[in-house]
Amino acid sequence: MPLPVRVRDELGELFADEQFVAAFGTEGRPGWSPGRLALITVLQRVENLTDRRAAEAVRTDLSWKYALGLELDDPGFDASVLSEFRPG
């Protein structure tokens, strides 16, 4: 069983958005959920992926979509979102 599936099955929603309320913007187009981005960065580190490969996994890997609670047709995001999300 792929790691992302095990994470979701055993831990549920690991980083709930309520934990990241302060990280949500109040203006402009809604961004990606900080909780989802946190989980993506964890999976990215474990699988030793570049930002580009992690963003690709979100778009194409069913186990990542499942772990993130995304619809199958979710288009994902641009890889630059990850570098903007990580603390400087």
Side-chain angles (χ1 to χ4, degrees), residues 7-21:
V7 167
R8 181 67 179 213
D9 286 351
E10 294 179 22
L11 302 175
E13 185 180 12
L14 189 56
F15 300 109
D17 285 342
E18 293 77 32
Q19 296 173 282
F20 297 95
V21 170

Side-chain angles (χ1 to χ4, degrees), residues 53-77:
R53 294 294 306 251
E56 181 181 324
V58 171
R59 281 191 303 279
T60 63
D61 189 315
L62 294 179
S63 66
W64 280 55
K65 286 184 182 282
Y66 176 75
L68 296 166
L70 298 173
E71 297 292 328
L72 293 178
D73 62 350
D74 191 288
F77 57 88

Side-chain angles (χ1 to χ4, degrees), residues 29-76:
R29 194 176 90 206
W32 262 68
S33 155
R36 281 185 175 146
L37 290 171
L39 180 54
I40 291 165
T41 59
V42 169
L43 293 172
Q44 176 186 19
R45 175 64 77 146
V46 169
E47 295 193 12
N48 195 30
L49 300 176
T50 64
D51 288 350
R52 186 173 308 280
R53 294 294 306 251
E56 181 181 324
V58 171
R59 281 191 303 279
T60 63
D61 189 315
L62 294 179
S63 66
W64 280 55
K65 286 184 182 282
Y66 176 75
L68 296 166
L70 298 173
E71 297 292 328
L72 293 178
D73 62 350
D74 191 288

